[in-house]
């Protein structure tokens, strides 16, 4: 029946005759293959599961689309529409119907969910230092993150540093005198220049409570908890800061840079690094030898004198050596010997009882790692640090090396995994550093400097998987996967100069989707490549290898390939056993050329999509890895480590989850400070974490377990208002959550989620 226009005189408003076929105002629309996951879900929730409409006459469908539409019919009886809809919506979390929200009130979801997951690796190297689109001189900021502007969090009137930590009438002398542009009058500053004190944390300064003294003095937003006004003999009233001498005595070694913070590097060594006066004799000597050795190898291998029988089988390179003893003796005499051999390494351990927190850029900061350690993480890593800024003494990069004292406690040890000879759990600890480098001399210098300035390092990990363009184009990160010989050279040199600190590597399947190279690379990293075998150099000396089950090109479009990880695990176990065949022969490498154990055992960890204890133990059992490294799973629910320890799903209440947010805020204030700037920094990193944490759907609301980290939830409501708020995708709600503990945001503070920034390329690791 044609539609009726009530404003048209010719249109009749009388009721139609009985049994007349009426046109539906909003006919049900079936889900089409080209629809997004959100659109499909809306159609299913509104109309149930309908058959896909056939193409209009005269329109030819592509053959690929035809194959999708022509699905075989199942002879089994159809299940209820709602159940089938939920089961067949790939990528949608199976939330119980009573918690679903009508599509009309659906929250906005990311257009590219996979891109959201890219926000945990190396992205801070393009946002560090860019807090607006233009700098102070009005020049346009360069980089990939110029559209993210965090604003500023500063006092309206700034107090001179000569007054910050001193009594009102006993300040230090300001060298600028009356010409100083900063405020010298404390009362004026407190009245007009500083916002009111916070009442969160019971109005008590977290730094003062932990240390007995707040180094930020009058600038602290909890000032009322550690100040007093005293009447002097002359009748004047003086403002003074309070100290708890008992707590100060207990923490006599505490530093102004945070409570319980270790691996602190002072100003003097950073200045020497900036002026290029920091001596790295071992790195210089070994880098020169690497260059000399490369030239000698090139001359000899291209001279036609060397005959090597190389057979390729399933992507692996096998070298058949005839008369190995004579070959090795002859080759060792032909080439220049290295200037020194590596020091014996400290033994480490990875096993089923050591779930590991992955290096997480931006989100993997000290407060978050501290929270994860409390919840059961047994190994942690710093955010990825670029080698060149470290060598140059950059303050921001060296801040990444800080560790909390809880990260220096020994990891869990039950002897359930492979134990290397001489391992002493009491001397082991959790924290390791991850670096990125594109040249051997950079990697060597960084390793030597780190081991000399940071005494609390379990391991130094070389990032060989960072996929972002800025790092890749520079030849670091995933670019090393395209040059196995260069990668081996970097790791061999790092192992030589790192003292007792072991070296490890984190790699991906490869750079191109569908063309993995990790098997071939793993063999080189365990036994050494052709060049090393030619000179009798032995293995490069890595103590552990972590494989992320994705390629650089793949990103997060598909799940991690744990079947390939299992293949690599089997290969590395076989290579570890084959090492025993070299014992008591001329080809047996010097024990110092090996890694963390006298037997040269290489640990192997898998990484990717671990989101529950079920995923963790399944990967251990099926892939036969030594342990599993967890990235996004820990960002979304840090208590995944508790689940692994308890071997069960934990349905955390909204109040429990909010308590973790409170802990993060408290730990952030202890590290970044309780003044206006410190609170702004804490708020910013808290919001970065909430950009992942909001994706958690309580297990009690799911129809089936275990949850899948790749699933995105449809619009849902929690079991109470707080649970709904914690699951909000609106970043303004995240700011509300931060204000529960950090007070109202500064008027100039700004935050835009990473996936909302159209010029921001963001990456993650697992």
């Amino acid at each position: 029946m044609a539609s009726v226009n009530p404003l048209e005189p010719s249109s009749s408003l009388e009721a139609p005759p009985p049994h007349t076929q009426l046109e539906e105002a909003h006919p049900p629309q079936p889900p089409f293959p080209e629809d997004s996951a959100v659109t499909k879900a809306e159609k299913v929730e509104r109309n149930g599961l309908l058959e896909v409409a056939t193409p209009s006459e005269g329109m030819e469908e592509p053959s690929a689309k035809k194959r999708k539409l022509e699905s075989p019919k199942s002879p089994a009886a159809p299940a209820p529409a709602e159940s089938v809809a939920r089961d067949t919506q790939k990528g949608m979390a199976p939330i119980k119907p009573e918690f679903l929200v009508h599509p009309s009130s659906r929250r906005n979801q990311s257009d590219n969910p996979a891109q959201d997951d890219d926000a945990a690796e190396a992205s801070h190297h393009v946002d560090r230092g860019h807090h607006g689109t233009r700098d102070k001189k009005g020049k346009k900021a360069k980089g990939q993150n110029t559209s993210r502007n965090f604003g500023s969090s500063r006092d309206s009137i700034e107090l001179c540093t000569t007054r910050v930590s001193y009594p009102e009438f006993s300040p230090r002398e300001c060298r600028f005198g009356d010409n100083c542009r900063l405020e010298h009058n404390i009362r004026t500053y407190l009245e007009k220049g500083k916002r009111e004190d916070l009442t969160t944390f019971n109005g008590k300064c977290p730094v003062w409570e932990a240390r007995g003294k707040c180094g930020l003095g009058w600038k602290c937003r909890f000032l009322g908890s550690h100040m007093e006004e005293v009447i002097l003999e002359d009748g004047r009233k003086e403002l003074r800061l309070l100290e708890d001498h008992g707590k100060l005595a207990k923490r006599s070694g505490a530093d102004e840079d945070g409570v319980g913070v270790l691996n602190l590097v002072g100003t003097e060594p950073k200045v020497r690094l900036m002026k290029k006066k920091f001596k790295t004799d071992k790195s210089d000597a070994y880098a020169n030898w690497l260059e000399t050795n490369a030239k000698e190898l090139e001359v000899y291998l291209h001279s036609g004198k060397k005959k090597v029988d190389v057979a390729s089988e399933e992507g692996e390179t096998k070298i058949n050596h005839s008369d190995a003893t004579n070959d090795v003796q002859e080759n060792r005499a032909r080439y220049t010997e290295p200037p020194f051999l590596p020091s014996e390494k400290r033994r480490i351990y990875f096993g089923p009882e050591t779930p590991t927190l992955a290096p997480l850029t931006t989100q993997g900061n000290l407060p978050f790692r501290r929270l994860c350690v409390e919840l059961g993480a047994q190994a942690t890593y710093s955010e990825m640090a670029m080698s060149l800024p470290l060598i140059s003494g950059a303050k921001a990069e060296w801040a990444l090396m800080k560790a909390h004292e809880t990260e220096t406690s020994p990891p869990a040890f039950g002897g359930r995994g492979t134990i290397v000879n001489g391992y002493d759990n009491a001397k082991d600890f959790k924290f390791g550093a991850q670096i990125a480098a594109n040249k051997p001399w950079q990697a060597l210098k960084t390793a030597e400097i780190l081991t000399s300035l940071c005494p609390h390092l379990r391991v130094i990990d070389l990032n060989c998987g960072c996929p972002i363009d800025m790092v890749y184009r520079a030849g670091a990160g995933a670019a090393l996967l395209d040059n196995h010989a260069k990668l081996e050279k970097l790791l061999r040199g790092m192992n030589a100069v790192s003292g007792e600190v072991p070296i490890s590597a984190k790699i991906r399947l490869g750079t191109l989707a569908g063309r993995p190279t990790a098997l071939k690379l793993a063999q080189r990293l365990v036994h050494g490549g052709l060049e090393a075998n030619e000179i009798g150099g032995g293995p490069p000396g890595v103590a552990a290898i972590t494989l992320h089950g994705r390629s650089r090109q793949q990103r997060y479009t598909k799940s991690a390939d744990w079947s390939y990880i299992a293949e690599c695990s089997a290969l590395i176990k076989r290579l570890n056993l084959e090492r025993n065949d070299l014992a008591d022969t001329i080809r047996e490498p010097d024990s110092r050329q090996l890694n963390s154990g006298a037997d040269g055992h290489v640990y192997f960890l898998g990484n990717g999509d671990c989101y529950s204890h079920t995923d963790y133990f399944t990967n251990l059992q099926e892939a036969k890895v030594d342990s599993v490294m967890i990235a996004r799973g820990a960002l979304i629910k840090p208590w995944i480590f508790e689940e692994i320890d308890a071997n069960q799903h934990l349905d955390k209440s909204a109040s429990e989850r909010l308590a973790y947010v409170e802990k993060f805020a408290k730990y952030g204030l202890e590290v970044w400070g309780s003044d206006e700037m410190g609170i702004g920094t804490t708020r910013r990193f808290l919001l970065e974490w909430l950009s992942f944490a909001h994706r958690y759907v309580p297990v009690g609301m799911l129809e089936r377990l275990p949850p899948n980290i790749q699933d995105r939830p449809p619009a849902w409501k929690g079991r109470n208002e707080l649970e709904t708020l914690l699951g909000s995708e609106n970043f303004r709600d995240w700011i509300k959550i931060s204000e529960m503990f950090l007070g109202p945001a500064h008027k100039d503070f700004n935050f835009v989620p990473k996936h909302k920034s159209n010029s921001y390329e963001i990456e993650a690791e697992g």
Side-chain angles (χ1 to χ4, degrees):
M1 181 178 178
S3 60
V4 175
N5 183 357
L7 300 181
E8 183 66 34
S10 62
S11 298
S12 174
L13 298 180
E14 296 180 1
H19 311 295
T20 302
Q21 183 73 22
L22 297 178
E23 179 182 350
E24 292 188 64
H26 299 285
Q29 293 294 320
F32 293 97
E34 64 269 20
D35 288 341
S36 67
V38 174
T39 303
K40 288 178 181 177
E42 288 179 346
K43 289 181 177 179
V44 169
E45 290 177 13
R46 185 181 295 117
N47 308 311
L49 189 63
L50 302 176
E51 292 187 4
V52 179
T54 56
S56 302
E57 293 184 8
M59 295 180 62
E60 183 67 22
E61 289 285 287
S63 58
K65 186 176 291 186
K66 286 181 179 178
R67 287 195 295 269
K68 289 183 180 179
L69 299 179
E70 296 171 359
S71 56
K73 296 183 179 179
S74 173
E82 279 188 88
S83 174
V84 173
R86 286 192 295 273
D87 289 343
T88 56
Q89 287 302 310
K90 185 177 180 181
M92 300 295 287
I95 297 178
K96 294 177 180 178
E98 59 265 33
F99 299 110
L100 292 175
V101 178
H102 190 274
S104 62
S105 61
R106 178 175 301 278
R107 301 165 297 177
N108 291 329
Q109 297 197 11
S110 171
D111 294 333
N112 185 3
Q115 190 182 38
D116 296 353
D117 288 335
D118 293 342
E121 178 188 345
S123 20
H124 73 305
H125 296 288
V126 290
D127 74 354
R128 195 182 296 160
H130 297 296
H131 296 285
T133 56
R134 294 184 179 274
D135 60 16
K136 293 181 180 179
K137 297 182 180 179
K139 295 182 179 179
K140 188 175 181 180
K142 298 179 180 179
Q144 301 181 52
N145 193 35
T146 55
S147 61
R148 292 192 86 202
N149 185 345
F150 300 106
S152 65
S153 299
R154 292 179 177 273
D155 294 324
S156 57
I157 299 176
E158 295 191 39
L159 186 65
C160 180
T161 55
T162 61
R163 304 301 195 265
V164 170
S165 302
Y166 297 91
E168 183 180 9
F169 299 149
S170 305
R172 284 191 304 146
E173 182 180 355
C174 178
R175 62 191 182 97
F176 297 104
D178 295 336
N179 295 324
C180 182
R181 61 183 181 84
L182 303 179
E183 183 60 53
H184 283 196
N185 189 304
I186 293 176
R187 293 182 185 269
T188 301
Y189 164 75
L190 295 179
E191 181 182 351
K192 300 180 180 180
K194 177 175 171 287
R195 288 204 292 167
E196 68 280 358
D197 278 6
L198 296 177
T199 58
T200 55
F201 302 106
N202 296 320
K204 297 180 179 180
C205 173
V207 179
W208 195 91
E209 287 291 306
R211 185 188 298 160
K213 176 184 178 181
C214 179
L216 292 165
W218 305 110
K219 298 175 69 175
C220 177
R221 291 286 306 281
F222 299 88
L223 176 61
S225 64
H226 54 77
M227 67 159 284
E228 64 177 355
E229 185 177 51
V230 298
I231 301 177
L232 303 180
E233 294 180 355
D234 58 5
R236 292 185 302 166
K237 295 181 179 180
E238 182 184 34
L239 296 176
R240 291 181 179 178
L241 297 169
L242 299 177
E243 296 180 358
D244 187 326
H245 297 288
K247 292 179 180 178
L248 284 173
K250 292 179 182 179
R251 305 195 62 88
S252 57
D255 191 272
E256 296 296 322
D257 286 327
V259 179
V261 178
L262 305 173
N263 286 342
L264 296 167
V265 179
T267 303
E268 187 271 334
K270 293 176 187 174
V271 172
R272 282 194 290 140
L273 287 169
M274 285 190 291
K275 295 182 177 180
K276 299 183 179 179
K277 293 184 178 180
F278 195 101
K279 292 186 177 181
T280 53
D281 297 335
K282 293 173 66 176
S283 300
D284 295 338
Y286 207 90
N288 290 335
W289 174 79
L290 285 174
E291 188 174 348
T292 300
N293 179 255
K295 293 178 180 178
E296 293 174 345
L297 272 170
E298 184 177 3
V299 170
Y300 185 63
L301 292 176
H302 289 80
S303 65
K305 298 179 181 179
K306 179 65 179 173
K307 296 181 180 179
V308 181
D309 181 19
V310 180
S312 178
E313 181 179 340
E314 297 181 354
E316 300 179 15
T317 301
K318 297 183 178 181
I319 303 175
N320 301 323
H321 296 271
S322 60
D323 199 358
T325 300
N326 292 335
D327 281 353
V328 172
Q329 289 177 333
E330 179 183 350
N331 291 343
R332 286 179 176 172
R334 180 179 297 113
Y335 299 106
T336 304
E337 289 287 329
F340 51 85
L341 290 175
S343 302
E344 188 171 352
K345 304 299 178 184
R346 186 194 311 115
R347 277 46 166 168
I348 61 173
Y349 171 79
F350 286 103
E353 62 271 51
T354 60
T356 300
L357 178 66
L360 300 167
T361 297
T362 302
Q363 287 86 356
N365 47 65
L366 190 149
F368 182 76
R369 297 198 313 269
R370 180 181 175 184
L371 177 62
C372 288
V373 168
E374 284 189 14
L375 294 173
Q378 299 302 319
T380 62
Y381 288 87
S382 71
E383 303 175 45
M384 186 187 77
M386 302 301 291
S387 58
L388 200 55
L390 284 174
I391 296 170
S392 304
K395 182 179 179 181
E397 219 70 19
W398 277 102
L400 303 180
M401 296 300 108
K402 295 178 182 178
H404 190 260
E405 58 188 4
T406 56
E407 296 179 278
T408 61
S409 59
F413 177 67
R416 294 159 56 191
T418 303
I419 308 171
V420 297
N421 294 330
Y423 175 71
D424 185 355
N425 181 253
K427 296 181 179 179
D428 198 3
F429 40 89
K430 298 182 175 70
F431 179 73
Q434 189 187 64
I435 66 169
N438 62 351
K439 294 182 175 61
W441 69 267
Q442 292 180 6
L444 269 64
K445 280 182 177 289
T446 303
E448 183 176 2
I449 294 170
L450 281 176
T451 52
S452 62
L453 296 181
C454 299
H456 299 94
L457 287 180
R458 184 187 198 225
V459 68
I460 299 177
D461 185 77
L462 180 65
N463 183 302
C464 313
C466 177
I468 72 167
D469 290 339
M470 185 188 73
V471 177
Y472 183 80
R473 286 196 297 263
L480 295 173
L481 301 177
D482 294 328
N483 193 335
H484 293 183
K486 178 181 178 181
L487 173 54
E488 181 188 357
K489 190 181 297 185
L490 265 68
L491 292 169
R492 185 180 299 277
M494 291 172 63
N495 187 58
V497 303
S498 64
E500 68 171 6
V501 180
I503 301 298
S504 63
K506 191 169 190 292
I507 64 176
R508 284 180 178 254
L509 300 186
T511 55
L512 300 178
R515 299 172 65 178
T517 59
L519 277 170
K520 190 174 181 181
L521 176 59
Q523 181 172 354
R524 177 183 279 267
L525 296 185
V526 176
H527 273 182
L530 173 64
E531 302 85 355
N533 286 290
E534 170 65 23
I535 65 174
V542 293
I545 300 171
T546 302
L547 175 59
H548 181 194
R550 292 182 173 87
S551 66
R552 174 185 183 265
Q553 187 182 45
Q554 177 186 341
R555 303 294 172 94
Y556 284 87
T557 56
K558 295 182 180 179
S559 299
D561 189 349
W562 275 92
S563 62
Y564 191 90
I565 294 176
E567 290 183 51
C568 287
S569 179
L571 172 65
I572 291 178
K573 288 185 183 300
R574 177 169 63 81
L575 295 177
N576 280 328
L577 292 174
E578 285 180 0
R579 190 185 303 281
N580 297 331
D581 298 337
L582 301 179
D584 301 323
T585 69
I586 189 69
R587 293 184 52 75
E588 180 183 6
D590 190 296
S591 62
R592 290 174 296 177
Q593 292 175 326
L594 302 178
N595 42 56
S596 65
D599 54 0
H601 179 82
V602 177
Y603 286 104
F604 182 65
L605 289 78
N607 172 224
D609 296 349
C610 184
Y611 192 39
S612 66
H613 71 284
T614 305
D615 294 335
Y616 182 83
F617 290 110
T618 299
N619 293 334
L620 287 178
Q621 183 177 1
E622 296 183 358
K624 307 297 183 185
V625 293
D626 291 301
S627 188
V628 177
M629 183 176 282
I630 306 170
R632 291 179 300 158
L635 287 172
I636 298 172
K637 56 172 189 180
W639 58 92
I640 185 175
F641 301 104
E642 276 190 331
E643 291 188 343
I644 292 170
D645 184 58
N647 196 17
Q648 67 179 23
H649 294 287
L650 299 177
D651 189 4
K652 294 286 184 178
S653 66
S655 58
E656 288 178 295
R657 292 165 58 196
L658 190 66
Y660 296 144
V661 175
E662 181 181 18
K663 276 192 174 183
F664 181 96
K666 179 181 177 181
Y667 297 161
L669 295 177
E670 291 181 5
V671 172
W672 295 305
S674 53
D675 64 339
E676 195 67 71
M677 289 185 65
I679 290 174
T681 302
T682 301
R683 192 189 310 275
R684 180 256 169 126
F685 284 106
L686 173 58
L687 295 176
E688 299 280 15
W689 173 36
L690 291 177
S691 70
F692 276 88
H694 82 275
R695 283 171 40 187
Y696 173 71
V697 179
V699 294
M701 295 169 52
L702 297 176
E703 290 188 319
R704 61 175 181 267
L705 297 174
N708 188 328
I709 197 170
Q710 297 291 80
D711 288 349
R712 295 298 186 275
W716 60 275
K717 60 182 179 181
R719 293 166 289 191
N720 52 55
E721 290 185 5
L722 179 57
E723 197 165 65
T724 304
L725 178 64
L726 290 171
S728 172
E729 292 182 339
N730 190 330
F731 70 91
R732 294 177 179 84
D733 287 333
W734 309 343
I735 295 178
K736 290 179 184 177
I737 295 172
S738 75
E739 290 178 340
M740 294 180 184
F741 308 106
L742 301 176
H746 192 280
K747 62 181 180 63
D748 295 328
F749 178 82
N750 187 39
F751 179 81
V752 178
K754 289 183 176 179
H755 65 275
K756 298 292 185 183
S757 175
N758 53 17
S759 67
Y760 194 83
E761 183 170 358
I762 40 186
E763 301 304 330
E765 276 288 350

